Amino acid sequence: MLEVDRINTFYGGAHILRDVSFGVGAREVVALLGRNGAGKSTTIRSVMGLTRPRSGAVRFDGTTITGWAPYRACRLGLGFVPEDRRVFRELTVLENLEVGRRPPRTGAPAWTAEGLFELFPNLAERRATAAGRLSGGEQQMLTIARTLVGNPRLILLDEPSEGISPLIVEQMARVILEMKSSGLAVLLSEQNLHFARLVADRAVIIEKGEVRFRGTFAQLDAEPAIARETLAV
């Protein structure tokens, strides 16, 4: 469904991503792993069109979308959940969902506000609360719910477990598995290897802007030096 083919992305004169390649299949969860600053978020931004790769290609469901404006990628069926959440703080939870709502899309699960409240019971209890009054974990849930109500076919999650409580992390894992079972493909960037194991089918490890590993967690376990060199603090 998603193919990233040898992309090179720069910030000014700094070469951040170097020939990064990987894919995400339909109904698959792929974890993009690496230390802080390895290039995970830049990869997500390059896929979404927030940062244009200087070379290489990004293809979504057979369409080359390299450098497309994010709104065009969204219309095609890509959803994006940023690390910094970006909720509309003065709007209620329900109003935030209304902002993200789009018509049902062929080949994608159709999410409603009530269906999302079943998935996120914390939000159901606070549907009339201004988003700015939610906890960090609840804001993360709201950002995911607002993206889902746009009915994407593939969702990009940037550091979904970062800075939230262990209890919310467990709920987040359940939500990602529910996304997969509903038919969504998921690409998530993550530093937490334990969390990635709970939800992902495969891992892609990036170090200093280059792919060091692509494969299953069983394959990663068979090469412990890779995790030690690229993920250990």
Side-chain angles (χ1 to χ4, degrees), residues 113-132:
E114 289 307 316
L116 288 166
F117 286 143
E118 291 181 11
L119 189 61
F120 298 98
N122 302 51
L123 299 183
E125 297 170 1
R126 309 197 69 184
R127 67 182 70 197
T129 301

Side-chain angles (χ1 to χ4, degrees), residues 21-40:
S21 297
F22 62 90
V24 180
R27 293 177 176 266
E28 185 178 37
V29 179
V30 173
L32 195 60
L33 298 171
R35 294 188 181 98
N36 189 35
K40 304 185 303 298

Side-chain angles (χ1 to χ4, degrees), residues 27-200:
R27 293 177 176 266
E28 185 178 37
V29 179
V30 173
L32 195 60
L33 298 171
R35 294 188 181 98
N36 189 35
K40 304 185 303 298
S41 291
T42 300
T43 302
I44 295 285
R45 291 176 61 86
S46 297
V47 170
M48 195 65 208
L50 292 161
T51 304
R52 184 186 181 97
R54 192 171 295 182
S55 64
V58 178
R59 302 181 187 94
F60 178 57
D61 206 17
T63 300
T64 299
I65 63 169
T66 319
W68 279 24
Y71 77 87
R72 292 185 64 198
C74 177
R75 288 177 179 175
L76 197 62
L78 270 180
F80 173 54
V81 178
E83 180 183 5
D84 55 0
R85 297 159 191 158
R86 300 186 190 179
V87 296
F88 296 101
R89 299 180 61 84
E90 302 303 319
L91 300 183
T92 68
V93 166
L94 193 57
E95 288 167 341
N96 267 269
L97 295 183
E98 185 62 23
V99 169
R101 186 172 61 84
R102 293 185 63 83
R105 191 190 311 272
T106 301
W111 298 91
T112 64
E114 289 307 316
L116 288 166
F117 286 143
E118 291 181 11
L119 189 61
F120 298 98
N122 302 51
L123 299 183
E125 297 170 1
R126 309 197 69 184
R127 67 182 70 197
T129 301
R133 296 177 58 192
L134 302 180
S135 70
E138 289 169 337
Q139 289 184 7
Q140 182 73 299
M141 290 180 178
L142 177 56
T143 308
I144 293 174
R146 189 181 62 198
T147 303
L148 289 175
V149 83
N151 301 318
R153 291 185 292 152
L154 186 149
I155 191 166
L156 309 172
L157 299 175
D158 196 2
E159 302 278 5
S161 74
E162 179 71 17
I164 58 179
S165 71
L167 179 61
I168 299 295
V169 168
E170 290 180 13
Q171 293 179 26
M172 199 69 67
R174 177 180 56 81
V175 165
I176 292 172
L177 292 173
E178 180 66 26
M179 290 183 203
K180 178 184 175 182
S181 67
S182 73
L184 269 176
V186 180
L187 173 64
L188 63 99
S189 73
E190 188 56 66
Q191 293 187 60
N192 186 329
L193 180 58
H194 172 70
F195 179 79
R197 286 181 184 276
L198 292 176
V199 300

